[in-house]
């Protein structure tokens, strides 16, 4: 793998704002002067399926997709989805997890169990794991839908990018009515 | 100005910058956004057509009238458009015509993994393939220039990873190129009866010869000579995957994948010690290079199926797997897409699943109803297949039991009308159901001829399914509301025991459409834990907000209604759309409206 390029993989469930978060991250990295490529599969994401988005940045990026073992930071908006994408992480990769459970249909039907010890499992295999109660923190900023902005705040503290660049992009990304709440949510996340 | 753009946005932008003002398409992932984006530019005309064949024929007409025409489809759409396609290379295109075909390696949202490049070869049409958004924007312009210069349709091939990845693009100003619009009378070129087609057949071969020469010096077929121990011949996105892991190798990056530049390939092969072809799907380039007698490594190390990524390429070439943490197999519960809360398809397929009839299905959101717990669909081949298949089955098992075919509104218009006519004509005895949710939901809610609006949002004629069916010769035509499951069930049962072919129109708007149109919402529902008997009937709908909680996993104590009761159902009211299907199934009367001030 090309060492000068870093990969962040954002994963979640359709409707959680995974793609929006990856758009914001990409814009930040462009403004910070990097070449950026980003890739996701749209398809039927809207219908509650599993969603993933690769963001790669560096002096020159060729592939918009990271390979297995190439991701420096796995950002997950849902616990079970984290497990699905762990094989993409570098052995010394970081994991940021929103402490939220969304049951897939088979669990709702009582045919499968939602993995109960996901966090322990991840911590057993990776050293740098941050679990964030993003939904609760978003509620404090006024709306639980801002959980993805809280998570972006957490992510920002793991990337060496000036906070002004993040805030400028947030300002361009949200309508003024919900901007303050999102800036707030972002700061809460950044402080974790 | 620099901007992050998806390949689809870039293709639309490129067409706009090149002054294109005419485009037609039928939606299909991963191609859909191209026409949507294009239609938003000022001063352009774009239309959704009923299917890809019509889209291409509309484009051919526009080009014959002197315009530059853009036609867009997903890979399987080319099958539908194949009939005009194969003769179009004979007639040429006059004004200029480019067909974008978007392939879907890994079948992210397709029913097969076919490789469009085979069509370029079979139909004798040149094909360009960009590797990122910047190239996508540039190549669409080159494609139009080639179309005009060589009087031929030109393919631009995309893949899911080109269409749906974003990379940096530099925006340029729009250039207006003059168009000579008007009627052209030229029967020897456009009336393809055998005598004239035989003449044009020769023109096609000459044209391909000229294009082969053009390919030799085409600047987008470019050599990058670095370390000459290993040489890579590649095109499109696989170029990026390979460059990512092996920036130091030598490359022949092909911008044009048909016809191939034979001399250039020979020259490149002579410069390097070991030669690989890196391409997804069919060994299209590889087989042609092997036929030239050149030693090249391809399929023996690369996978036959699925899309690649940098890791796949690295492993194929070096034999080394990337360093990953060894994880035990977790066999996680899958998270497939599901019908939305409030989806009108759910009630219909619940009824069909319970009726235990064979349901020949089709393609659309409703295809998701094949899964548990609805299990209301038993086949899906291609758009429109349900109608013909139901009829064919009926002809061979006739009398024993009736077969049902189910098809969405957009899919019916795409290719269900002709087979319905066939059913009436050939005296079928099966039941066809159109699930009319008033939109093309699967691909993101595009308008279609039954919605009453055009792509540009203008009001227009809306197809009346009932009148159409009558005109086709269907005597039994019924309309049901799928949110009324009792009536839906009894109407379908009646039609299953009626002589002759029947059409049932299951009519209710898509739940997302209702949100988009800001229709007043219904009151969400909740389960009253004191009434729920834990019978699980509501779970049979597979509705996302409805789940099941066992008593031992609950914090609060709930009294058992029966000795055997193990838990209760639970509705996440924040996700519920209040469609009432679960209420209709609950014999305990435990599902009630959420009271506002709770
Ligand atoms: C030949 C072809 N063109 C396009 C597609 C992509 N596609 C699949 S289903 C569909 C339309 C579905 O709309 P509709 O029949 O109205 O059903 P809905 O999704 O609204 O339930 C489209 C465009 C395809 N699979 N095959």
């Amino acid at each position: 793998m090309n060492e000068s390029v870093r990969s962040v993989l954002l994963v979640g469930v359709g409707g959680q704002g995974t793609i929006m978060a990856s758009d914001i991250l990409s814009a930040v990295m462009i403004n910070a002067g990097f070449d950026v490529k980003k890739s996701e599969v749209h398809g039927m994401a809207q219908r509650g399926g599993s969603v993933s988005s690769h963001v790669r940045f560096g002096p020159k990026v060729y592939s918009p997709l990271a390979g297995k073992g190439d991701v420096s930071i796995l950002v997950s908006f849902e616990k079970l989805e984290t497990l699905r994408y762990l094989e993409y992480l570098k052995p010394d990769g970081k994991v940021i997890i929103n402490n939220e459970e969304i049951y897939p249909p088979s669990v709702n039907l009582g045919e499968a169990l939602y993995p109960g010890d996901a966090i322990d499992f991840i911590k057993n295999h990776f050293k740098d794991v941050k679990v964030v109660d993003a939904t609760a923190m978003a509620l404090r900023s006024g709306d639980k839908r801002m959980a993805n902005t809280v998570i972006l705040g957490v992510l920002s503290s793991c990337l060496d990018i000036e906070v002004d660049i993040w805030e400028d992009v947030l300002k361009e990304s949200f309508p003024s009515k919900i901007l303050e709440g999102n800036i707030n949510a972002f700061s809460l996340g950044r402080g974790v | 100005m620099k901007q992050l753009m998806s390949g689809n946005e870039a293709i639309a932008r490129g067409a706009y910058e090149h002054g294109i003002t005419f485009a037609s398409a039928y939606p299909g992932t991963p191609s859909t956004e191209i026409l949507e984006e294009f239609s938003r530019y000022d001063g352009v005309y774009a239309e959704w057509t009923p299917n890809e064949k019509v889209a291409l024929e509309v484009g051919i007409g526009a080009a014959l009238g002197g315009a530059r025409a853009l036609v867009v489809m997903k890979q399987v759409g080319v099958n539908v458009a194949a009939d005009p396609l194969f003769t179009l290379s004979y007639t040429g295109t006059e004004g200029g015509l480019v067909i974008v075909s978007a392939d879907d390696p890994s079948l992210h949202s397709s029913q097969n993994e076919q490789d469009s490049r085979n069509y370029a070869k079979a139909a004798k049409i040149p094909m360009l393939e960009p590797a990122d958004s910047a190239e996508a924007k540039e190549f669409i312009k080159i494609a139009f220039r080639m179309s005009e210069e060589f009087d031929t349709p030109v393919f631009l091939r995309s893949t899911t990873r080109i269409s749906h990845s974003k990379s940096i693009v530099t925006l340029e100003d729009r250039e207006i190129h003059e168009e000579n619009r008007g009627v052209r009378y030229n029967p020897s070129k456009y009336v393809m009866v055998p005598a004239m087609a035989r003449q044009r057949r020769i023109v096609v071969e000459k044209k391909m010869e000229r294009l082969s020469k053009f390919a030799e010096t085409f600047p987008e077929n470019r050599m990058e000579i670095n370390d000459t121990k290993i040489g890579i011949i590649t095109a499109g996105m696989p170029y990026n995957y390979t460059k990512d892991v092996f920036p130091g190798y030598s490359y022949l990056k092909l911008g044009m994948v048909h016809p191939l530049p034979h001399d250039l390939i020979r020259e490149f092969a002579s410069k390097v010690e070991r030669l690989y072809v890196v391409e997804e799907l069919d060994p299209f380039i590889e087989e042609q290079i092997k036929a030239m007698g050149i030693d090249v490594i391809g399929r023996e190390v690369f996978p036959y199926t699925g899309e690649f990524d940098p890791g796949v390429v690295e492993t194929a070439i070096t034999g080394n797997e990337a360093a990953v943490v060894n994880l035990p197999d977790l066999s996680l519960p899958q998270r497939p897409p599901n019908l939305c809360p409030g989806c009108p398809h759910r009630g219909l397929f619940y009824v069909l699943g319970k009726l235990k009839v064979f349901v020949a299905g089709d393609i659309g959101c409703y295809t998701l109803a094949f899964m548990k717990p609805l299990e209301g669909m038993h086949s899906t081949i291609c758009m429109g297949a349900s109608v013909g298949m139901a009829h064919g089955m009926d002809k061979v098992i006739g009398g024993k039991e009736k077969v049902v075919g189910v098809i969405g509104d957009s899919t019916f218009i795409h290719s269900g009308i002709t087979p319905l006519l066939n059913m009436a004509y050939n005296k079928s005895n099966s039941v066809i159901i159109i699930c009319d949710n008033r939109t093309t939901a699967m691909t993101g809610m595009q308008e279609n001829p039954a919605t009453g609006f055009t792509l540009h949002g203008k009001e227009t004629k809306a197809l009346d399914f009932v009148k159409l069916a009558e005109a086709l010769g269907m005597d039994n035509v019924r309309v049901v509301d799928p949110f009324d499951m009792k009536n839906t069930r009894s109407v379908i049962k009646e039609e299953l025991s009626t002589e002759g072919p029947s059409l049932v129109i299951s009519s209710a708007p898509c739940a997302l459409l209702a949100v988009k149109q800001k229709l007043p919402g219904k009151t969400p529902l909740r389960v009253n834990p004191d009434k729920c008997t834990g019978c699980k009937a509501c779970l049979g709908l597979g509705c996302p907000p409805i789940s099941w909680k066992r008593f031992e996993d609950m914090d609060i104590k709930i009294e058992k209604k029966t000795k055997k009761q193990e838990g209760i159902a639970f509705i996440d009211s924040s996700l519920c759309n209040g469609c009432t299907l679960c209420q209709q199934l609950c014999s305990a009367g435990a599902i009630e409206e959420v009271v506002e001030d709770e």
Side-chain angles (χ1 to χ4, degrees), chain A residues 38-39 47 56 81 102 108, chain B residues 161 166 244 335 441 547:
Chain A
K38 153 185 152 74
S39 189
R47 314 285 182 274
R56 306 189 76 226
E81 292 311 308
I102 299 176
N108 272 346
Chain B
R161 243 359 117 180
K166 291 191 174 177
D244 201 273
R335 197 187 294 277
S547 60

Side-chain angles (χ1 to χ4, degrees), chain B residues 1 42 47 130 138 204 321 342 361 397 402 435 497 515 522:
Chain B
M1 196 179 99
D42 285 338
E47 65 177 41
E138 190 51 36
V204 174
E321 303 273 346
I397 59 169
K402 269 199 169 186
C435 24
S497 53
V515 172
K522 287 168 256 176

Side-chain angles (χ1 to χ4, degrees), chain B residues 447-493:
Chain B
E447 304 294 349
N448 68 49
T451 66
F453 289 91
T454 68
L455 169 56
H456 289 289
K458 296 225 164 61
E459 223 169 306
T460 184
K461 289 253 180 204
L463 171 65
D464 182 330
F465 290 121
V466 175
K467 278 195 191 153
L468 172 71
E470 283 166 5
L472 294 176
M474 299 293 291
D475 294 330
N476 310 315
V477 181
R478 311 282 296 270
V479 180
V480 297
D481 173 4
F483 288 113
D484 179 349
M485 286 195 286
K486 205 167 151 208
N487 184 54
T488 300
R489 184 186 153 82
S490 67
V491 168
I492 295 174
K493 276 191 87 166

Side-chain angles (χ1 to χ4, degrees), chain B residues 26-28 52 74 76-77 80 111 345 363-366 383 408-411 414 437 439-443:
Chain B
Y26 181 73
E52 293 85 353
K74 72 177 289 173
V76 285
V80 179
Q111 66 267 34
H345 300 325
I363 310 190
C365 284
Y366 50 95
M383 293 189 74
D409 50 339
S410 181
T411 305
H414 180 280
N437 61 355
T439 187
T440 317
M442 171 101 159
T443 40

Side-chain angles (χ1 to χ4, degrees), chain B residues 86-105:
Chain B
F86 276 71
T87 308
L88 179 60
S89 52
Y90 287 36
T91 63
T93 48
E94 219 64 45
L97 190 146
V98 174
I99 304 162
V100 178
S101 167
D103 286 9
D104 189 18

Side-chain angles (χ1 to χ4, degrees), chain A residues 2 13 26 37-39 41-42 47 50 56 62-65 68-69 78 80-81 84 87 102 104 108-109, chain B residues 4 161 164-166 237 240-241 243-244 310 322 324-325 333-335 338 365 441 539 544 546-548:
Chain A
N2 187 338
V13 175
S26 304
K37 283 192 178 168
K38 153 185 152 74
S39 189
V41 171
H42 297 212
R47 314 285 182 274
S50 161
R56 306 189 76 226
Y62 286 102
S63 171
L65 272 188
K68 291 186 178 140
E78 202 273 350
L80 166 59
E81 292 311 308
R84 225 185 281 288
E87 58 182 358
I102 299 176
N108 272 346
L109 293 174
Chain B
L4 202 61
R161 243 359 117 180
H164 286 174
S165 293
K166 291 191 174 177
M237 190 51 92
N240 283 317
Y241 299 151
K243 248 336 232 198
D244 201 273
V324 292
V325 172
Q334 291 300 309
R335 197 187 294 277
N338 191 359
C365 284
L539 291 172
I546 309 180
S547 60
W548 169 255

